[in-house]
Amino acid sequence: MKIIEIRDIDDVNELIKIASTYPKTQEESLAVEKQLQIELSEAGDNRHIYVCYDNDVCVAMIQLILKNADNDPEYANGKDIAHVHNLQVRKDRQNEGIGKLMMDYIEDKAKEMGKRVLTLGVDSDNERAIKLYKNRDYKIFRKDKGRTPDEWGYAMKKEL
């Protein structure tokens, strides 16, 4: 497997290939595409977007935001705290260790950039992701209301 950084708005199609492996309505798919285009337009100094290829197939993506993640300095402060965002593994390639590989990669990149703390957000119903993060020593430091009355958003962090 090979992980590369992407910075070109034309690469949005590769990201859409990953996101489209999850069942969505046409409306949700368009919203995802629009959001990915916005994120790619921010790639560079503040947002680093990495994709993982297995041969010629794009199987995963992850982002590292260095400052202004949700306008919350607890998430990313432009100094020593960075935010992991949008880890996605193709649905048909889950349970192969690709999520762990991507987290290893992003943590190493953050250390290379001089970051001491990584944060991330995860929905309370995403039990697989929560298990992955807890196994990597991420701890919940804040609980926020989710998108639905039954959902919570967990803010997690890890000292590098």
Side-chain angles (χ1 to χ4, degrees):
M1 296 218 202
K2 180 172 91 173
I3 300 173
I4 62 167
E5 183 171 4
I6 60 172
R7 292 178 176 235
D8 194 314
I9 196 72
D10 293 334
D11 293 326
V12 75
N13 292 327
E14 292 300 319
L15 302 180
I16 291 168
K17 287 177 190 174
I18 297 167
S20 68
T21 64
Y22 295 84
K24 290 184 175 52
T25 65
Q26 180 71 15
E27 185 176 290
E28 289 172 320
S29 294
L30 290 172
V32 166
E33 181 177 346
K34 183 177 179 181
Q35 182 60 37
L36 289 172
Q37 286 174 338
I38 290 168
E39 291 171 1
L40 264 171
S41 73
E42 296 173 358
D45 291 338
N46 183 45
R47 185 183 298 262
H48 296 265
I49 303 170
Y50 303 94
V51 294
C52 178
Y53 286 91
D54 185 9
N55 294 314
D56 290 333
V57 178
C58 190
V59 296
M61 70 174 136
I62 195 166
Q63 299 179 27
L64 186 64
I65 302 173
L66 305 180
K67 59 185 179 225
N68 299 328
D70 294 336
N71 293 317
D72 188 337
E74 278 191 290
Y75 277 154
N77 64 7
K79 298 174 192 151
D80 60 344
I81 303 171
H83 185 72
V84 176
H85 179 68
N86 204 12
L87 169 60
Q88 287 191 42
V89 176
R90 284 178 60 101
K91 188 122 177 121
D92 58 344
R93 296 297 303 269
Q94 293 186 352
N95 297 313
E96 294 180 22
I98 298 171
K100 181 186 177 309
L101 173 78
M102 297 301 284
M103 289 301 295
D104 287 344
Y105 186 86
I106 208 76
E107 288 175 9
D108 288 344
K109 281 292 183 187
K111 286 178 193 173
E112 287 173 16
M113 294 176 187
K115 305 307 174 192
R116 294 185 313 106
V117 176
L118 278 181
T119 65
L120 56 84
V122 62
D123 294 332
S124 60
D125 63 352
N126 194 344
E127 294 172 13
R128 292 181 60 220
I130 293 168
K131 181 180 177 185
L132 170 70
Y133 302 141
K134 284 187 174 182
N135 285 340
R136 300 186 66 81
D137 296 322
Y138 285 82
K139 308 279 189 250
I140 296 171
F141 71 93
R142 192 171 71 211
K143 235 170 91 168
D144 298 314
K145 290 183 181 182
R147 292 175 286 227
T148 67
D150 298 331
E151 183 180 82
W152 288 96
Y154 297 138
M156 301 180 82
K157 70 179 171 181
K158 174 183 180 174
E159 304 274 334
L160 298 177

